[in-house]
Amino acid sequence: MKTTYKNIIENAYNLTKSLENSGKLATYIPELANVNPSNLGVHMTTLDGTHFGMGNHQDKFSIQSIAKVLSLTLAVKLIGDKVWQRIDVEPSGTKFDSLLLLETYKGIPRNPFVNSGAIVICDILLTYCKNAKIEFLEFVRDLSDIPDLNYSDEIADSEKATGYRNVALCNFIKSFGNIKNEPVDVLDFYFDMCSIEMTCQQLSQTFTFLANGGIKISDGKKIISKSKCKRINALMLTCGFYDESGEFAFKVGLPGKSGVGGGIVALYPHNYAIAVWSPKLNPNGNSFRGMRLLEEVTTHSELSIF
Ligand code: GLN
């Protein structure tokens, strides 16, 4: 890896570490309250496979909504543009778990990265896969080159016991006819999907295919077409951070996706993918220090998509 990238990551990490660790843990999922709030990790993987990380970059954390990018990838791989008959591609301007716009748009979620959209994606996968839970897991195992990757029962069970808003979202969408399977099955898969754990190193490696036109870097396997890859990146840029997507584009300038576990993954097309983890979230549900660290990286590398 270029020494300039290493220096930039080192400086960004040290600066972020020295700042006040503001924000709150996502305690609405009880299991997520059990992490050390002072953890901070970052890892970059470039398309030639070289990589560099700092801090807690090799500790596993719950990737939560970051998994929505992977479930969308599998859905567009399976049924292509048919996905967009069920979900829109517009920023929501609302929180990730909002019910608000579903009434206005008659059960069509604004995009696949708010919870409602990801729930419809789970419904699509249940319809088109023989066993969605297994096929999704195998898909992510292959993409990440982690053969023993699994759902976390602790995290999934914790959310299954408390995820009332997601239950409401799924049932509400079902009332408009945009959920085809039983809500209980859709939600079970949704919570499992969100429970996957990875390290910053694994996450940055996994997402390099989106910086590489849909091709996996470790074995050259085509995951999705260039055009589908472009669209997923466009959605990450415009919708990856809920009501803070504009802010992320403004300050960082890369396609990315956050999760309430405090992780963020972002990518610079044709160059690298980078993952950060700091569990405390800002009021929009995005990692407070994660956003800050990435802002430092793109500011000092003077490289973004703009
Ligand atoms: N599993 C979480 C939820 O449904 C995912 C939310 C997120 O990471 N933004 O609330």
Side-chain angles (χ1 to χ4, degrees):
M1 176 178 295
K2 283 193 234 163
T3 42
T4 43
Y5 278 150
K6 277 191 186 168
N7 290 343
I8 288 165
I9 292 171
E10 264 164 15
N11 290 339
Y13 174 87
N14 289 330
L15 178 90
T16 310
K17 189 93 186 158
S18 71
L19 299 173
E20 191 195 342
N21 187 10
S22 303
K24 286 194 180 130
L25 294 175
T27 50
Y28 79 96
I29 302 174
E31 194 62 26
L32 294 186
N34 294 333
V35 296
N36 181 348
S38 63
N39 286 337
L40 177 67
V42 55
H43 201 102
M44 178 189 274
T45 304
T46 50
L47 296 192
D48 61 8
T50 55
H51 55 94
F52 175 71
M54 290 190 73
N56 302 93
H57 64 124
Q58 277 163 341
D59 293 354
K60 278 205 270 181
F61 63 94
S62 176
I63 72 168
Q64 291 293 322
S65 284
I66 298 172
K68 292 173 182 172
V69 181
L70 306 177
S71 54
L72 172 66
T73 303
L74 183 58
V76 296
K77 188 176 167 70
L78 289 174
I79 66 165
D81 282 346
K82 277 207 260 170
V83 167
W84 313 119
Q85 294 166 4
R86 309 264 308 267
I87 303 169
D88 219 324
V89 293
E90 298 298 337
S92 69
T94 59
K95 280 202 74 182
F96 60 87
D97 57 358
S98 176
L99 284 120
L100 209 59
L101 296 173
L102 284 173
E103 179 85 322
T104 311
Y105 294 102
K106 301 191 168 42
I108 302 290
R110 295 308 276 154
N111 65 67
F113 297 150
V114 283
N115 287 10
S116 53
I119 288 170
V120 171
I121 291 287
C122 285
D123 185 57
I124 290 172
L125 293 178
L126 281 173
T127 300
Y128 288 92
C129 297
K130 261 205 196 93
N131 185 326
K133 269 197 204 187
I134 292 179
E135 277 172 57
F136 178 66
L137 195 56
E138 273 168 5
F139 177 67
V140 183
R141 281 177 178 165
D142 176 57
L143 204 51
S144 60
D145 291 320
I146 313 171
D148 60 352
L149 185 87
N150 245 313
Y151 300 119
S152 157
D153 287 342
E154 289 79 24
I155 294 168
D157 290 349
S158 176
E159 197 174 2
K160 282 174 194 177
T162 53
Y164 298 110
R165 285 190 77 88
N166 289 318
V167 174
L169 284 167
C170 190
N171 282 288
F172 197 40
I173 304 168
K174 177 87 177 167
S175 77
F176 291 102
N178 197 19
I179 290 286
K180 312 296 178 193
N181 297 278
E182 283 305 316
V184 64
D185 298 328
V186 178
L187 287 161
D188 186 60
F189 178 37
Y190 172 78
F191 292 132
D192 278 356
M193 178 200 73
C194 291
S195 78
I196 287 175
E197 295 174 298
M198 282 194 202
T199 67
C200 287
Q201 176 168 353
Q202 292 168 336
L203 206 50
S204 70
Q205 154 87 25
T206 303
F207 272 73
T208 47
F209 81 100
L210 288 173
N212 194 35
I215 311 279
K216 232 179 107 181
I217 63 165
S218 61
D219 57 11
K221 193 173 183 175
K222 180 175 167 184
I223 304 299
I224 42 168
S225 66
K226 255 195 188 150
S227 145
K228 289 185 171 110
C229 176
K230 177 192 80 179
R231 289 175 166 195
I232 292 174
N233 286 343
L235 283 165
M236 284 203 282
L237 183 79
T238 52
C239 312
F241 298 82
Y242 321 111
D243 202 16
E244 216 168 31
S245 301
E247 179 96 358
F248 193 81
F250 188 74
K251 291 197 168 149
V252 180
L254 297 176
K257 184 74 201 82
S258 63
V260 290
I264 299 178
V265 66
L267 56 101
Y268 181 43
H270 316 298
N271 281 271
Y272 65 74
I274 185 166
V276 288
W277 175 47
S278 172
K280 282 188 167 185
L281 309 177
N282 68 21
N284 286 305
N286 298 318
S287 170
F288 184 87
R289 292 192 300 181
M291 300 249 315
R292 193 69 181 74
L293 198 158
L294 289 173
E295 185 185 347
E296 284 298 315
V297 170
T298 54
T299 301
H300 292 288
S301 64
E302 296 182 358
L303 296 170
S304 82
I305 63 165
F306 297 107

